[in-house]
Amino acid sequence: MSKTGFRLENAWHPIEGDPSGGFVFTLVNLTDTPISDFKLAYTALTRVMDNPACENATFLLRNANFHQYAPPAGFVLEPGASWRFTVRGLWRPAKHRTDGAKSAYLTFSDGTHHTIDVADLMLEGRVSEPQKPLLPEGRVTEPFSLLPWPKQAKLQAGETPVVLYPAAGSTLADVKAMDTVLSLHRRLFSAAHQPFSLIAVEQGKAIRFQQSGSLAAEAYELTFAEDEIVLAYGGDAGRQYGLTALAQLHDGARRNAALFRFPGSGTITDEPRYGWRGCHLDVSRQFAPAPDVLRLIDILAWYKMNVFHWHLTDDEAWRFEVRAYPQLTTVGVMRGPDEPMLPQLGNAAEPVGGFYTQADVAAIIAHASELNVEVVPEVDIPGHSTAILAALPELVDGQEAPDSYRSVQGFPNNALNPAIEETYVFLGKVFDEMVELFPSKLIHIGGDEVADNTWMASPLARKLMEKEGLDGTFGLQSHFMKRIQKMLAERGRSMAGWDEVSHGGGVDPDGTLLMAWRAPEVGVELAKEGYDVVMTPGQAYYLDMVQDEAWQEPGASWAGTVPPHHTYHYEAVGDFPEDLKPRLRGVQACIWTEHFLNRNYFNHLVFPRLPAVAEAAWTPRERKDWDRFSALVRLSPTL
């Protein structure tokens, strides 16, 4: 039974002549009390237009994903009864069960708000197919648990030692590195047999460490013999990756001895395919507590990924402490019916917040650094700035109509105005604190999804356009980005951004890293313009995308269907001409969290596709094997 006393059932149905179809909502009263004079609000990514056609309801308000309706005047919802209403005028059709209402609440005549339960979106008028298996059973022709698979491996199976331990004469640094990977394994697999001991153990096997000047910093070589294992490495990262490979080999042989063995002899010669092996996490839409962030970084390290791109701000919230502007994490982080920002993306009557203190940030960076993972912070500007403008209304041109443009997500007037000088004062103080917190030489400044007509109703922006000879929204955006680039350079930092940073004339490509997300061919065009590129196309590497076309499969679908098989086989370098390949820095998975309402959704959508990106980032194309991956990835840790 519903815990709240009410349940909102919702369904989508096709409509002839209207490809977007329509919604049917039914509010069921499971209480013993009749209600009247109320309003119903829900959040949904399938948004309605400004004047939707409603039957048996009055449309009141939409703000991005927030929608509100009222029943007909005088309507009373009796105990056990239901209120049914329909809505037409959707921006797009619903394609999956997560495209409906994610949360809902009632507002009563006394102004109080009451969360209600929401059911999955049902499908009317078509067959609702069940989810399909996402992975084949898989098979291995070489019985060794290594993911990502190494560049070269010539191994023969042997007996699995109880543990591996440092050989006599190992340095303190070697033993500390071993302890780091042992601790990583114990955090990820707390019930599994530990792979290492820091002291000699009977029936164990020794690891002898050798630093080699002939190996690159991230490269390692393993030589297996009857009496010991020799780990040669180029730098600290290479030593860690070699130890991680040993931990994986031991872990697989212990947890699935029927399929995997530990090497008794042979060699592994290994180094990464790409220097940038990244994973992005959006913590603005859905807040991830610090322990979850730490565990995700652990998983990245387990798969030899080396960049954590932390998307810390967006329309929905500002998530890290800035001491110069405390209102960013008081006003700019709160969503709720009576808060500065309305509920979005699964929020209901209870106010929600959440942010990282500077101490939290420092601890997360220190943890990542120990695992050779670089933390690249993102402050998404000039668009996606609703939270900033809610906290700092002085950054708004007061002469501009308050709803003169909307973002693709439906947020009104959500971009920082390039013509307001206080904008740069604000960002300068933010950057000052960021460079003290984040050691990365890159600061990601977003730059994506600025609506075509942004700032065109701002007299201040119009005046700046005339003074500087700028052409429209994207000319203004380029002017803004060039100033930001200069501000970062003055602080010893370089700019990273999404591919739209190149719009309107872009910025100086020298030292600028852009991420191609809209389509694979965008990356090639950026490289032609002189930018260094990370490939992260939504069509392959966005881990919020649905993995199957079935209605029951959760996730977004704007970039199409992205099954694990496609993510695994996608070749980022495929369309790059030979002379542009040096511009391709690497690849990155992106975890956008609009659909991530709980940990089960997270794990279902992120795995096995995150390990698939990790193998694409590390393993040479000719060494990849889908069947082997499908067998190995079943040992994967999850959040």
Side-chain angles (χ1 to χ4, degrees):
M1 180 177 173
S2 166
K3 299 292 185 181
T4 66
F6 296 88
R7 184 175 293 280
L8 182 65
E9 300 281 356
N10 60 142
W12 180 85
H13 61 276
I15 298 174
E16 187 174 352
D18 182 353
S20 293
F23 278 139
V24 179
F25 293 100
T26 305
L27 177 66
V28 181
N29 183 359
L30 298 170
T31 74
D32 299 325
T33 306
I35 61 170
S36 61
D37 193 19
F38 62 89
K39 301 172 185 176
L40 169 68
Y42 68 83
T43 69
L45 282 159
T46 306
R47 295 176 286 272
V48 304
M49 297 182 183
D50 285 341
N51 295 298
C54 301
E55 292 183 9
N56 202 33
T58 300
F59 171 72
L60 301 176
L61 174 66
R62 178 178 73 84
N63 181 285
N65 306 287
F66 175 89
H67 303 73
Q68 191 176 52
Y69 299 82
F75 176 79
V76 177
L77 183 57
E78 299 288 350
S82 60
W83 166 43
R84 182 182 185 275
F85 67 96
T86 64
V87 179
R88 287 187 59 174
L90 310 180
W91 279 108
R92 61 176 180 84
K95 296 182 178 180
H96 299 274
R97 65 185 173 96
T98 46
D99 284 336
K102 293 186 177 300
S103 61
Y105 67 88
L106 298 173
T107 299
F108 296 117
S109 58
D110 62 359
T112 60
H113 311 287
H114 186 84
T115 293
I116 61 178
D117 292 322
V118 180
D120 275 352
L121 184 66
M122 296 288 111
L123 176 62
E124 296 181 349
R126 291 180 184 168
V127 176
S128 177
E129 299 289 346
Q131 294 165 272
K132 301 179 179 66
L134 297 174
L135 286 174
E137 192 64 33
R139 61 177 175 80
V140 294
T141 56
E142 300 173 79
F144 305 108
S145 175
L146 284 167
L147 206 169
W149 195 255
K151 184 177 181 178
Q152 294 180 5
K154 296 179 180 179
L155 302 171
Q156 294 79 44
E159 296 300 317
T160 303
V162 173
V163 289
L164 309 176
Y165 59 86
S170 297
T171 68
L172 177 59
D174 293 332
V175 177
K176 283 185 173 181
M178 204 165 181
D179 182 63
T180 295
V181 177
L182 172 59
S183 297
L184 171 66
H185 179 270
R186 289 176 70 84
R187 291 192 299 270
L188 292 175
F189 307 103
S190 57
H193 189 288
Q194 69 182 56
F196 301 147
S197 169
L198 302 187
I199 61 171
V201 173
E202 187 179 352
Q203 299 179 47
K205 183 173 281 191
I207 303 172
R208 184 158 54 86
F209 295 88
Q210 291 179 349
Q211 185 165 18
S212 172
S214 64
L215 293 176
E218 292 189 306
Y220 68 92
E221 293 178 351
L222 288 167
T223 304
F224 297 86
E226 185 177 350
D227 57 337
E228 68 175 7
I229 299 165
V230 177
L231 167 55
Y233 61 91
D236 290 348
R239 176 173 53 196
Q240 176 188 303
Y241 298 149
L243 287 166
T244 303
L246 289 171
Q248 288 185 353
L249 287 164
H250 192 275
D251 181 74
R254 281 287 180 174
R255 285 204 284 146
N256 190 347
L259 195 60
F260 300 114
R261 304 282 299 279
F262 193 83
S265 61
T267 60
I268 294 174
T269 303
D270 204 10
E271 63 182 349
R273 182 180 186 185
Y274 294 119
W276 185 289
R277 305 180 302 281
C279 179
H280 149 291
L281 178 65
D282 163 26
V283 295
S284 180
R285 275 56 178 263
Q286 310 289 354
F287 181 64
D292 288 355
V293 176
L294 293 170
R295 183 167 177 88
L296 178 60
I297 291 170
D298 280 347
I299 293 169
L300 301 186
W302 186 246
Y303 289 125
K304 304 186 179 76
M305 301 180 86
N306 65 345
V307 178
F308 174 55
H309 172 178
W310 204 0
H311 186 86
L312 287 159
T313 76
D314 214 297
D315 286 305
E316 289 83 357
W318 179 286
R319 295 294 192 190
F320 74 98
E321 178 188 17
V322 177
R323 288 170 181 155
Y325 295 97
Q327 58 269 51
L328 289 170
T329 45
T330 54
V331 176
V333 79
M334 294 303 299
R335 303 197 297 252
D338 299 317
E339 298 298 331
M341 294 182 290
L342 288 168
Q344 301 286 348
L345 301 169
N347 310 138
E350 297 78 16
V352 297
F355 69 94
Y356 308 98
T357 66
Q358 292 201 2
D360 292 333
V361 172
I364 288 168
I365 291 170
H367 182 85
S369 178
E370 184 179 53
L371 296 169
N372 289 289
V373 175
E374 178 182 358
V375 179
V376 176
E378 180 182 353
V379 173
D380 200 351
I381 53 176
H384 289 284
S385 293
T386 297
I388 298 173
L389 296 172
L392 301 170
E394 63 269 25
L395 301 183
V396 173
D397 181 354
Q399 305 170 84
E400 184 179 16
D403 199 352
S404 58
Y405 64 88
R406 291 190 186 181
S407 72
V408 66
Q409 289 84 12
F411 286 95
N413 292 32
N414 74 328
L416 296 177
N417 195 318
I420 296 176
E421 197 61 28
E422 188 62 27
T423 296
Y424 305 100
V425 175
F426 158 67
L427 291 172
K429 292 180 180 178
V430 170
F431 293 152
D432 286 341
E433 296 195 28
M434 290 181 74
V435 299
E436 291 297 320
L437 274 172
F438 294 94
S440 174
K441 293 300 180 183
L442 287 171
I443 290 181
H444 198 295
I445 47 70
D448 61 315
E449 295 186 325
V450 176
D452 286 352
N453 61 336
T454 299
W455 308 305
M456 293 300 97
S458 163
L460 290 175
R462 287 283 187 180
K463 184 177 178 180
L464 178 62
M465 289 169 61
E466 183 178 350
K467 177 184 175 184
E468 299 292 338
L470 304 174
D471 184 17
T473 291
F474 298 117
L476 281 166
Q477 179 177 337
S478 177
H479 172 85
F480 173 84
M481 287 299 178
K482 287 172 181 174
R483 284 197 64 173
I484 298 304
Q485 187 176 46
K486 183 173 184 291
M487 292 169 66
L488 292 176
E490 290 168 350
R491 292 162 174 81
R493 297 294 187 268
S494 296
M495 176 185 286
W498 302 109
D499 56 55
E500 295 100 318
V501 168
S502 66
H503 287 179
V507 297
D508 183 356
D510 187 28
T512 301
L513 180 70
L514 297 187
M515 297 182 175
W517 69 274
R518 288 175 298 146
E521 57 268 23
V522 171
V524 178
E525 291 305 313
L526 293 173
K528 288 178 180 177
E529 294 173 25
Y531 294 101
D532 284 348
V533 180
V534 169
M535 293 295 285
T536 180
Q539 297 80 3
Y541 288 165
Y542 270 34
L543 306 189
D544 58 318
M545 291 296 120
V546 292
Q547 300 177 84
D548 186 81
E549 294 184 3
W551 178 267
Q552 289 300 317
E553 185 66 30
S557 56
W558 62 262
T561 302
V562 185
H565 180 271
H566 176 63
T567 299
Y568 184 80
H569 285 288
Y570 171 72
E571 279 294 310
V573 77
D575 296 325
F576 275 72
E578 199 64 37
D579 63 318
L580 293 180
K581 286 181 180 179
R583 292 281 179 200
L584 177 57
R585 293 273 301 277
V587 299
Q588 177 170 292
C590 283
I591 303 174
W592 298 100
T593 56
E594 287 94 333
H595 288 279
F596 289 51
L597 298 186
N598 54 53
R599 188 160 302 194
N600 287 335
Y601 274 137
F602 185 99
N603 286 330
H604 178 80
L605 285 161
V606 171
F607 304 98
R609 291 184 295 182
L610 179 60
V613 177
E615 185 145 297
W618 184 280
T619 306
R621 179 179 186 175
E622 64 274 10
R623 297 288 286 160
K624 291 165 65 176
D625 183 309
W626 170 244
D627 285 332
R628 181 192 63 222
F629 171 83
S630 298
L632 287 169
V633 78
R634 298 175 192 280
L635 295 175
S636 176
T638 56
L639 197 65

